[in-house]
Structure formats: C-alpha cells, structure tokens
Amino acid sequence: MKFLSHLTTFALVAGFFTDVAFAQKDAMLTSVVKQEPQAWAIAQQIWTWAEPGYQEKQSSELLAKHLEAAGFTLQKGVAEIPTAFTATFGSGKPVIGILGEYDALPGLSQDAVPYRKSVTNGGYGHACGHHLFGAASATAAIAIAEQIKAGKIKGTVRFYGCPAEEGGSAKTFLVMAGLFQDVDAVLHWHPSSSNSSGERSCLARIAARFRFQGKAAHAAGAPDQGRSALDAVELTTFASQLMREHMPDQSRMHHVITNGGGGAPNVVPEQAEVYYYVRHPKGEVVRQLYQRLLLCAQAGALGTETRLEARQEGGTRELLPNTALSAVMTKNLKELVDLQYTPEETEFAIRLRETIPKPEPLEKIRQVDDRVGGVGMGSTDVGDVSWVVPTAGFSTACWVPGTPGHSWQAVACGGTGIARKGMMLAARVLAASAWDLFTNPEAINEAKTEQARRLGEQKYFTLMEPGAKPPLEYRKSSRAE
C-alpha cells in the first residue's frame, strides 16, 4: 500500500508540473495574440512598400527596430548584405533560430481586391507573402524572449532578417559567413493557400545571367558590319530548348530575356541578356546541368561572333529534411489551426476563386495537409541552412485555397484579413514549437542525431562560385547600363 501511495504521489506531482508547463505555454501564446495589432501593422507596411530583393531598406529597418525595442541585440549588415541582420535575445544553450523574409516580386503590383488592379504599373508585389513571413517570425521571437526574460525558459532566441530569398540566395551567404555555427535548431514557415507540415525536400537551384556584347550597325545599309547580341540570346535559348530533351528526370530550366536587345529593327542589337534558373532535387546534378547550359551560351557567342559575359547570381541547395523537428511543428499546427473566414472574407474568397485556374474548397483552411516525403518543385535558400543545422518549416493558409504562389491573386490576399489570420496562426505555431524545444532538450538531441545520420559522409558544399559576393543589384531589369 505504501508503494501505491508513493506512485499516487508521484503521479500527482508529475501532473502538477505538467499543468504548470501547459499554463506557461498558454501564457506565451497569449503574448503572441496581444501582439497581433502591431504585427499586422508591420506586415501591411511591408506589403505596401513591396521592396525588391537586396533593396528592402525600409522593410528590414522596420523589423530590426521592432525587435530592438523588444530588447533584442542587433547585428546589422551581416554577410556583407546591407539589408540582412540578426536580432538576439538571451544567453546560453539552446540557441533556437527563427527565419524571417521580406522581399517582393517584380511585375506583380496589386491592390487588395479580388480582381486585377495594379497599384503601380509594372511594380513589385508580395506574391509570395514575405511581408507576412517576417512579421510573424518576429512576433514569435518576441513572445519567446518575454519568457526568457521572465525566467520561464533558458537559452537564446535569434531572429534572422533574411532578404532576397526570391533568387538572391541571401541565406546561402549567411551560411557561408558562419552565422549559424552556434545554432541548435532553426524554425521557419511560409505563407500558402493551405496549412501543411511534414518533412520534405525541394529543388536545388543555380541562377545565372548570360550577357552578350555585339556590334551595332545599320541592319539594311551595313548588315555585314554588325554582330547581333540578340541573335546570341536566341541561339542560346534554342540550344537550351534542345538540351531539355537530355536532362535527368525532375530537372527544371526556365529563362527570361532581361535585356531584349535593341529598340529599332534597323539597328543591329549591340547588347542583350538572358537570365536562367536551373533546378534539380540534387545539388550535384544542378552543377552539371549549369555547365551544360554554359556551353549553350558559349555556342551562342561563338555562332554570332559576340562576346559572352556569364555571371552566376545565386546557388541554393536542396532541403535536408528533419523528421524530429517536423514532428514538433506538425503537432503544434494541428493543435492550433483555427482559421475561419468572416462573411466579408468569404465574399472576397468567392469572387477571387473565379479568377483561379484550380480553385479548392474554402473548408481547406481548417485542415492540415501532410507533406511527409517527396520533393517540392520550388527552391529556397533555406536549403543551405538545413545542411548546417537541423531545420524544419510549415505553411499556413494566408491565401484563398487554390491560389497559386507568385500570382496577383496571392498579392491581393496578402492585404486582407485572410492573410492576417494565417500570419497569426504561423506566429503561434512558431512560438509553440520553439517553446517545446526550449523545454525538451531531448527533442533537439533527436534532431541533431537525425541530421548526422542523413548527412552520413556527405559534407556541405555551396552551389555558389568561389569568391561569390551577394548580387546586390540582381533585381535590375537590365544589366545593359
């Protein structure tokens, strides 16, 4: 009987401490909710500014000041990037990193209405929801910092201000600068048209510009004296189309002509430029594909007697999944998902659905999709982070279900209460997941063990060229100046 009495006492004590832990976690989540008005104001401001990659001066400064006011210690201009920064609170282990982004996309300026209406003709727009990304991540980091300050948890939380995710590979430069060396785990999220979680990978990617220099001449009066840079671009793109037939499965290659080559048909174009992305689930394969693409560009120059300038502007690795960390985030997302539209938001969603090629039921906002395994067809510089520290992420429904990313519809949703609700759900999931890691060291140990197992004998390598510097002006529409 005495033995049973001891067991009963132990169970009661254990239950008491469990209840206390749950209460403290709930208090931390309440802190997230209290921050909502300010978080949404920040997100709306960044949405309005819609600044290009590496040019996010106002957006970066707004987030940095917000975190500094909350007691974080700032380190600005990290990795030789003016708009990149870290904000740290606390001391000692564990060190939990939370990623935040804030760059917009070109040509997608859009008002918060369910029909196409640009705010600025040809301007930028947050078609990938990064205005929400930075604001939610900062909100979660502040909620965790409050708990560290109150003595409820011990360790360090660090927010990473990450510019130029859209093609600029900023996090790769942060990794190469050693800014994640002391971090135990990294958490991130992304706006989407659905709630989803689970470990999976993505495509590695190299971005490159091929600029051709020819000779101008009268296209009718002296065509023999001209050498067309535009012809070089056309020959390069034709050769790359033929190359597609002979690429490995799951490869992707796409391009835009960023300098069209001239303004009058009777002038042989002197300059032209084409901008490529090359992708595959394996970084080593991307390296090989890029070398083959480079041959296409060299052939374009050789066949037109023009001069080629090849400039690689970013390389990102595939994501290295982490089941242990993903399980923590999935659990919290499933427990906390509570999205529901108001009548006004429902009306907006119904009208927007008419413009979406593949609309999905609005009820999806209350579900969580399991994304375990497989390879996403996008690319992200979070991939490089995942090779040096255990990393996991999730998505929340910030857009009407079925809305494709990188679309004007995503920008429109981003300025509405639909995005606000998805953003705040993400902030709560991030904060709850970080709390679980701070209060359960074994979860971090499991993530590190898994990281080591997945790496095996592999070593991290960057897809950047040796000595590469951040392409701070990569968002210029033309490099002809």
Side-chain angles (χ1 to χ4, degrees), residues 31 73 89 113 182 184 198 206 218 232 260 269 287 326 363 365 396 465 469 480:
S31 169
T73 300
F89 191 97
V113 292
D182 64 336
D184 295 290
I206 285 179
H218 195 294
R287 270 182 171 175
S326 293
E363 291 75 20
I365 65 171
T396 62
E465 292 182 323
K469 298 292 183 181

Side-chain angles (χ1 to χ4, degrees), residues 112-252:
V113 292
Y115 50 87
R116 190 67 168 110
K117 181 184 178 184
S118 297
V119 177
T120 305
N121 187 32
Y124 281 72
H126 274 287
C128 215
H130 292 179
H131 64 301
L132 308 168
F133 193 159
S137 295
T139 299
I142 290 172
I144 288 294
E146 290 176 351
Q147 297 303 305
I148 294 174
K149 184 177 181 180
K152 305 299 183 183
I153 52 178
K154 294 181 179 180
T156 305
V157 60
R158 182 178 299 143
F159 176 93
Y160 286 84
C162 305
E165 187 274 340
E166 299 288 357
S169 308
K171 294 185 197 68
T172 307
F173 292 103
L174 268 60
V175 170
M176 293 193 296
L179 294 173
F180 293 92
Q181 286 182 348
D182 64 336
V183 182
D184 295 290
V186 166
L187 308 179
H188 69 102
W189 77 287
H190 204 285
S192 180
S193 63
S194 63
N195 308 300
S196 64
S197 188
E199 74 281 5
R200 69 171 182 165
S201 189
C202 70
L203 301 183
R205 191 213 70 219
I206 285 179
R209 294 180 188 265
F210 300 126
R211 180 182 181 185
F212 298 90
Q213 181 68 44
K215 294 179 182 179
H218 195 294
D224 59 306
Q225 297 180 39
R227 298 294 182 268
S228 173
L230 179 57
D231 286 351
V233 165
E234 290 182 312
L235 189 53
T236 299
T237 58
F238 178 66
S240 70
Q241 300 306 323
L242 297 178
M243 175 183 158
R244 288 179 189 274
E245 183 183 353
H246 308 286
M247 299 194 305
D249 288 347
Q250 295 186 291
S251 300
R252 294 289 189 273

Side-chain angles (χ1 to χ4, degrees), residues 131-432:
H131 64 301
L132 308 168
F133 193 159
S137 295
T139 299
I142 290 172
I144 288 294
E146 290 176 351
Q147 297 303 305
I148 294 174
K149 184 177 181 180
K152 305 299 183 183
I153 52 178
K154 294 181 179 180
T156 305
V157 60
R158 182 178 299 143
F159 176 93
Y160 286 84
C162 305
E165 187 274 340
E166 299 288 357
S169 308
K171 294 185 197 68
T172 307
F173 292 103
L174 268 60
V175 170
M176 293 193 296
L179 294 173
F180 293 92
Q181 286 182 348
D182 64 336
V183 182
D184 295 290
V186 166
L187 308 179
H188 69 102
W189 77 287
H190 204 285
S192 180
S193 63
S194 63
N195 308 300
S196 64
S197 188
E199 74 281 5
R200 69 171 182 165
S201 189
C202 70
L203 301 183
R205 191 213 70 219
I206 285 179
R209 294 180 188 265
F210 300 126
R211 180 182 181 185
F212 298 90
Q213 181 68 44
K215 294 179 182 179
H218 195 294
D224 59 306
Q225 297 180 39
R227 298 294 182 268
S228 173
L230 179 57
D231 286 351
V233 165
E234 290 182 312
L235 189 53
T236 299
T237 58
F238 178 66
S240 70
Q241 300 306 323
L242 297 178
M243 175 183 158
R244 288 179 189 274
E245 183 183 353
H246 308 286
M247 299 194 305
D249 288 347
Q250 295 186 291
S251 300
R252 294 289 189 273
M253 182 167 61
H254 24 275
H255 69 274
V256 291
I257 298 176
T258 47
N259 176 359
N266 63 341
V267 178
V268 175
E270 186 176 31
Q271 295 177 332
E273 180 187 79
V274 60
Y275 186 21
Y276 275 89
Y277 279 6
V278 185
R279 312 187 202 227
H280 188 271
K282 298 295 182 183
E284 188 55 52
V285 176
V286 172
R287 270 182 171 175
Q288 297 166 9
L289 289 173
Y290 172 69
Q291 291 303 316
R292 293 173 60 191
L293 177 62
L294 181 58
L295 291 175
C296 295
Q298 291 169 346
L302 181 64
T304 57
E305 299 180 74
T306 57
R307 187 176 76 251
L308 168 65
E309 176 190 340
R311 177 172 176 174
Q312 191 174 318
E313 288 201 337
T316 62
R317 293 295 306 275
E318 66 273 25
L319 281 164
L320 190 66
N322 194 286
T323 304
L325 278 188
S326 293
V328 173
M329 306 193 89
T330 299
K331 176 178 177 292
N332 283 299
L333 179 57
K334 289 182 176 180
E335 289 179 352
L336 295 172
V337 63
D338 60 352
L339 300 181
Q340 188 171 349
Y341 291 164
T342 64
E344 293 78 16
E345 290 162 356
T346 300
E347 182 181 353
F348 176 95
I350 291 172
R351 290 193 60 187
L352 191 76
R353 277 167 52 90
E354 297 173 358
T355 71
I356 297 173
K358 296 181 179 180
E360 296 183 357
L362 299 187
E363 291 75 20
K364 281 206 69 175
I365 65 171
R366 292 186 285 275
Q367 303 170 10
V368 176
D369 295 334
D370 190 346
R371 297 289 174 85
V372 175
V375 177
M377 289 294 103
S379 303
T380 174
D381 52 9
V382 178
D384 288 78
V385 178
S386 72
W387 280 79
V388 298
V389 59
T391 303
F394 63 95
S395 296
T396 62
C398 298
W399 313 324
V400 174
T403 299
H406 294 199
S407 67
W408 67 262
Q409 291 95 334
V411 185
C413 292
T416 70
I418 290 172
R420 177 174 181 164
K421 290 173 177 176
M423 178 190 79
M424 292 310 300
L425 171 59
R428 287 185 289 136
V429 173
L430 282 171

